[in-house]
């Protein structure tokens, strides 16, 4: 009872990884036993994928736990990028599993192994499809509510599992009615290739966050519109954005009247903060405005390039 209470106290993201871990573990055990007994490459491939799902979901749990920690003296911006690192690792593991599945499929084609226990294997895959379908729907809902890259990656991964499980079921059905065991191996090859393809998006998204890619162009454009709509703002420049998966970071230079008081400028900044943060209320925001009495974009560029001699100022 204490364990259930503890899980209920987790954030939505961590709760999602716990449920994914339990589901993947149960499916992995069932599919591995039946896959070994039947000799089906497709079922074994699906079992291996479920084992990796378990490991990935456990890893994701701890990644989210770390990412949720507050900033401290050593990590002033928090540890949100751990989620991006987790996504890259998850994508890499998925790629390796895809390559192994392809290897097993090619080996079965060469050795001409036969598939046994087709009826039992079919039942196992039907159960797997039902469980995975419910898990995908749950993860997609949590991903939509939290906008977590780790939960999004998990949802995408399990969606790929759902499709691959369907392919395994079709392969077993075709083998049962035709007697051609090579069909199982061919579907194993297709599943392996698809798994590698699905991993590409996960890895790409994680790497782009680690490289401080700017926010979605539509969000950036809306930020510009908000700044321009503010009264007493004469212009802006040096708008820069990025995200760590949990927080959005925005900084920009505001051109204000030279005679404006600091209190007036601060009130403008507060209004901007509220309006910009409302663009994605599920995310945390760190918004840093800089006040300028005139447009000094040229100087900013020189500073960025390291070409300013402050003794000349």
């Amino acid at each position: 009872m204490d364990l259930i209470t503890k899980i209920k106290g987790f954030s939505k993201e961590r709760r999602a990884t716990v449920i994914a871990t339990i589901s993947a573990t149960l499916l992995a055990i069932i599919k591995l036993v039946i896959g070994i007994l039947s000799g089906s490459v497709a079922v074994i491939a699906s079992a291996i994928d479920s084992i990796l799902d378990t490991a990935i979901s456990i890893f994701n749990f701890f990644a989210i736990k770390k990412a949720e920690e507050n900033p401290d003296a050593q990590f002033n911006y928090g540890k949100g990028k751990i989620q991006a690192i987790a996504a890259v690792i998850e994508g890499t593991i998925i790629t390796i599993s895809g390559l192994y599945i392809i290897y097993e499929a090619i080996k079965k084609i060469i050795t001409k192994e036969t598939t046994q226990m087709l009826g039992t294997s079919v039942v196992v895959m039907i159960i797997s499809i039902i469980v995975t379908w419910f898990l995908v729907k749950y993860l997609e809902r949590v991903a939509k509510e939290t906008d977590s890259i780790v939960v999004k990656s998990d949802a995408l991964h399990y969606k790929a599992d759902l499709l691959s499980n369907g392919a395994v079921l079709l392969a077993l059905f075709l083998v049962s009615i035709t007697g051609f065991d090579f069909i199982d191996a061919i579907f194993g090859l297709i599943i392996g290739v698809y798994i590698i393809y699905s991993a590409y998006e996960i890895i790409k998204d994680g790497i782009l966050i680690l490289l401080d890619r700017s926010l979605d162009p539509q969000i950036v454009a809306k930020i510009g519109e908000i700044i321009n709509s503010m009264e007493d703002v004469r212009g802006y420049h040096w708008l820069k954005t990025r995200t760590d998966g949990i927080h959005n970071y925005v900084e920009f230079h505001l051109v204000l009247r030279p005679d404006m008081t600091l209190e007036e400028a601060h009130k403008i900044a507060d209004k901007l903060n509220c309006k910009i943060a409302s663009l994605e209320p599920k995310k945390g925001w760190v918004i840093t405005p800089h006040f300028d009495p005139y447009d000094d974009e040229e100087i900013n560029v020189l500073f960025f390039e390291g070409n300013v001699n402050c003794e000349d100022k």
Side-chain angles (χ1 to χ4, degrees):
M1 203 64 179
D2 288 341
L3 181 61
I4 294 173
T5 305
K6 190 173 182 180
I7 291 172
K8 284 182 178 178
F10 291 157
S11 64
K12 288 181 181 178
E13 295 95 321
R14 277 200 280 168
R15 211 158 45 232
T17 60
V18 171
I19 291 171
T21 300
I22 294 169
S23 303
T25 302
L26 291 173
L27 290 176
I29 293 169
I30 296 169
K31 287 191 281 189
L32 189 62
V33 171
I34 299 303
I36 291 171
L37 293 175
S38 67
S40 168
V41 171
V43 176
I44 291 173
S46 188
I48 292 168
D49 197 35
S50 292
I51 292 168
L52 289 169
D53 290 346
T54 302
I56 288 168
S57 292
I58 292 170
F59 176 77
N60 286 344
F61 174 84
F62 290 104
I64 291 172
K65 184 175 181 292
K66 275 290 177 187
E68 289 175 348
E69 290 180 1
N70 293 324
D72 55 33
Q74 187 176 10
F75 297 96
N76 300 165
Y77 293 95
K79 302 169 186 173
K81 285 189 178 180
I82 285 179
Q83 291 200 79
I85 295 170
V88 173
I89 293 172
E90 178 174 353
T92 303
I93 292 172
I94 294 168
T95 301
I96 293 170
S97 72
L99 291 171
Y100 180 75
I101 290 166
I102 290 170
Y103 162 76
E104 284 293 328
I106 292 171
K107 190 174 83 170
K108 181 166 185 176
I109 292 171
I110 293 171
T111 59
K112 298 179 180 178
E113 296 172 9
T114 58
T115 305
Q116 308 296 326
M117 297 175 63
L118 286 172
T120 307
S121 298
V122 167
V123 171
V124 167
M125 294 315 301
I126 290 173
I127 293 170
S128 179
I129 287 170
I130 293 169
V131 172
T132 306
W133 186 85
F134 280 106
L135 181 59
V136 166
K137 290 301 174 186
Y138 169 69
L139 290 173
E140 284 181 336
R141 178 167 60 81
V142 175
K144 191 175 180 181
E145 291 173 356
T146 63
D147 202 28
S148 165
I149 185 175
V150 170
V151 180
K152 281 181 181 177
S153 297
D154 252 7
L156 180 64
H157 184 195
Y158 284 107
K159 188 179 279 188
D161 285 354
L162 187 61
L163 294 172
S164 66
N165 288 339
V168 172
L169 186 61
L170 179 60
L172 293 172
F173 173 73
L174 291 174
V175 171
S176 68
I177 61 175
T178 64
F180 298 139
D181 281 286
F182 69 86
I183 292 175
D184 176 61
I186 290 171
F187 271 80
L189 278 171
I190 294 169
I191 293 167
V193 171
Y194 181 78
I195 285 172
I196 293 170
Y197 172 76
S198 70
Y200 167 74
E201 285 296 323
I202 298 172
I203 295 171
K204 185 185 79 171
D205 286 346
I207 288 174
L208 288 175
I209 287 177
L210 293 173
L211 292 176
D212 287 335
R213 176 188 60 180
S214 64
L215 300 179
D216 185 278
Q218 290 183 335
I219 296 289
V220 176
K222 286 178 181 176
I223 291 172
E225 289 171 10
I226 289 170
I227 297 172
N228 278 328
S229 69
M230 291 297 295
E231 192 179 348
D232 291 325
V233 173
R234 294 183 170 182
Y236 73 93
H237 54 271
W238 208 242
L239 171 61
K240 294 187 288 181
T241 64
R242 65 182 175 92
T243 185
D244 64 6
I246 295 178
H247 303 93
N248 290 338
Y249 295 85
V250 181
E251 52 185 286
F252 49 85
H253 287 218
L254 282 178
V255 182
L256 305 172
R257 295 194 326 269
D259 62 343
M260 184 177 285
T261 66
L262 180 60
E263 185 178 4
E264 288 175 311
H266 184 73
K267 284 180 179 177
I268 289 172
D270 281 346
K271 287 179 182 177
L272 280 172
N273 286 356
C274 288
K275 288 186 176 182
I276 291 171
S278 67
L279 294 174
E280 280 193 319
K282 294 172 187 173
K283 287 281 184 73
W285 287 80
V286 179
I287 302 167
T288 311
H290 175 87
F291 305 127
D292 287 334
Y294 56 86
D295 192 328
D296 64 348
E297 186 172 6
E298 229 175 81
I299 295 173
N300 300 145
V301 173
L302 291 173
F303 267 113
F304 185 75
E305 294 173 347
N307 292 326
V308 169
N309 185 349
C310 290
E311 292 178 2
D312 295 337
K313 301 295 172 191

